[in-house]
Amino acid sequence: MIHAVIMAGGSGTRFWPASRRALPKQFLRFGGDRSLLQETADRCRSFIPAERTWIVTGDVHAGETRRQLPDLDPAKLLLEPCGRNTAPCIGLAAIQLLAVDPEAVMLVLPADHRIQPTAAFQQSAERAFELIAQQPERLMLFGVSPTEPATGFGYIERGAAFPENCSVFQVASFREKPDAETAARYVASGDFFWNCGIFVWRADAILRQIERQAPDLFARLTALRTAIGTNDWSEKLATEFRHMPNISIDYAVLEKAAADVCVVPATFDWDDVGSWQALGRQITPDSRGNTIDGRFCGVSTNGCIIRSDPNHLIATFGVSNLVVVHTPTATLIADRSDELGLKQLIAELERQGLSEFL
């Protein structure tokens, strides 16, 4: 059967001060009434039953996950005792799925992306499911056609199309985040996709690949697997998971097993919501180019991103190209064009001992 596995770990700081360690961006809303996590669960449940939707998140985010997804089966909430990147996360989900469904097929996706429309996402997923049914050892990932020479994404070079399914391609190579010139060359060639981090594969197939490509991780997963359904699970998880390598599934498996990896061109619109700039893509700007999410009054204000809440007014005059974000305990005012500056600001907050605001 098909199972959705939503990866909801991480504690991203790129949306500070709205995002905090206890409330990372997957729990935030961006231009709608539902958080990114809720939107992702809704999207999956439109074609995968709720009883086959799994959430993998950190211990510290268990309460907020349950609050936002009150109908989630408690058995489908997998809690990581610490962050260890996507390879251990996916391995943890795979062993749990196989314990209840030896034929499990995993649709693995991050909780913090925007994808529209759902029907197109389902169509792309079903193409992948069909090929997995025909070639069960294949590892499928989705590629997004680049709209610009972005330097912040990994790229996938497509190879030959499959004769039995001309809309699916063999992966020729994986390319890391390129410089601007290289990214422009990739886009111009028409042979590259953005790697959006959404995957489809059988749970047993990905475990076999982990065994071949990441034996240290596989050994920990094997030791942990013996404790599933026993009273020793929590203790065993705490012990084994902390010793798993901190590595992405791309580095651990996919790049080493490229001959078995295929790419499905995405037919949906995708946004990784990577910074406050993304709000400008989610909400239609006003006549002066301001993106407004909350209560706002501006005079001679142009090209700003403004975020507040209905109970707090942000008022501006004579400013341009700012990010202004208000929360009850902190307010950010920043140059809209300087995304790296926020990372430096977070480091400075740490240096000054202001971690209670992080």
Side-chain angles (χ1 to χ4, degrees):
M1 293 185 290
I2 309 296
H3 298 253
V5 176
I6 300 173
M7 299 183 292
S11 56
T13 56
R14 287 179 291 180
F15 287 91
W16 188 88
S19 65
R20 307 291 177 97
R21 287 169 177 163
L23 195 76
K25 73 168 180 173
Q26 60 266 28
F27 298 115
L28 304 180
R29 59 165 188 83
F30 290 88
D33 296 328
R34 304 280 280 171
S35 71
L36 294 179
L37 172 63
Q38 290 170 324
E39 288 183 353
T40 304
D42 294 345
R43 188 181 312 123
C44 293
R45 289 176 180 178
S46 68
F47 63 102
I48 297 174
E51 61 269 20
R52 285 190 263 125
T53 297
W54 303 69
I55 309 292
V56 188
T57 191
D59 277 340
V60 295
H61 302 135
E64 184 63 21
T65 302
R66 294 188 185 101
R67 189 188 71 78
Q68 293 203 6
L69 300 175
D71 297 331
L72 180 69
D73 179 351
K76 302 301 191 298
L77 179 59
L78 306 181
L79 299 179
E80 300 172 320
C82 58
R84 280 295 179 269
N85 216 312
T86 55
C89 169
I90 288 167
L92 175 65
I95 63 174
Q96 286 281 1
L97 264 65
L98 288 173
V100 298
D101 179 8
E103 301 297 317
V105 175
M106 306 169 65
L107 168 62
V108 183
L109 65 167
D112 55 359
H113 294 176
R114 295 295 296 271
I115 292 174
Q116 296 175 329
T118 293
F121 176 72
Q122 179 177 349
Q123 183 183 47
S124 295
E126 286 177 346
R127 284 212 306 272
F129 299 153
E130 289 170 4
L131 190 59
I132 291 296
Q134 298 164 7
Q135 301 186 36
E137 291 302 309
R138 288 287 181 182
L139 307 179
M140 309 290 297
L141 51 82
F142 292 87
V144 174
S145 295
T147 57
E148 60 179 338
T151 58
F153 302 141
Y155 285 73
I156 306 161
E157 182 182 13
R158 72 180 185 183
F162 278 78
E164 63 272 30
N165 192 331
C166 61
S167 61
V168 178
F169 299 87
Q170 181 69 46
V171 169
S173 68
F174 291 90
R175 306 293 178 91
E176 290 310 307
K177 297 175 182 178
D179 58 32
E181 182 180 349
T182 303
R185 190 167 66 250
Y186 290 169
V187 174
S189 75
D191 292 329
F192 288 84
F193 299 102
W194 287 333
N195 185 350
C196 65
I198 302 175
F199 314 109
V200 174
W201 44 54
R202 285 179 60 101
D204 54 4
I206 192 62
L207 282 179
R208 281 191 285 273
Q209 287 287 0
I210 289 173
E211 182 178 17
R212 295 185 197 112
Q213 313 298 344
D216 291 348
L217 172 58
F218 183 76
R220 296 290 179 181
L221 290 169
T222 300
L224 183 56
R225 198 171 181 179
T226 62
I228 294 175
T230 73
N231 293 331
D232 296 330
W233 169 256
S234 295
E235 182 179 351
K236 196 79 169 177
L237 176 64
T239 300
E240 296 297 338
F241 202 84
R242 292 179 187 280
H243 290 93
M244 291 182 187
N246 188 345
I247 190 170
S248 72
I249 195 69
D250 304 74
Y251 285 139
V253 173
L254 300 181
E255 294 186 8
K256 299 175 184 177
D260 295 314
V261 183
C262 309
V263 59
V264 179
T267 58
F268 48 82
D269 295 327
W270 171 81
D271 194 320
D272 80 329
V273 197
S275 71
W276 281 118
Q277 295 282 5
L279 202 61
R281 299 190 293 270
Q282 306 301 326
I283 299 173
T284 302
D286 68 10
S287 61
R288 289 181 173 271
N290 299 304
T291 299
I292 302 165
D293 184 13
R295 201 164 190 181
F296 171 71
C297 180
V299 174
S300 299
T301 297
N302 303 284
C304 291
I305 293 174
I306 308 291
R307 180 170 170 122
S308 186
D309 60 62
N311 299 315
H312 183 92
L313 173 69
I314 290 178
T316 62
F317 67 90
V319 297
S320 300
N321 301 315
L322 295 179
V323 174
V324 182
V325 181
H326 167 81
T327 72
T329 58
T331 299
L332 170 71
I333 302 172
D335 180 347
R336 178 173 177 169
S337 65
D338 186 5
E339 293 189 11
L340 292 178
L342 185 55
K343 184 176 181 180
Q344 295 169 349
L345 177 60
I346 297 299
E348 182 64 14
L349 290 170
E350 290 269 23
R351 190 188 70 79
Q352 293 193 21
L354 297 171
S355 58
E356 71 267 27
F357 296 101
L358 298 177

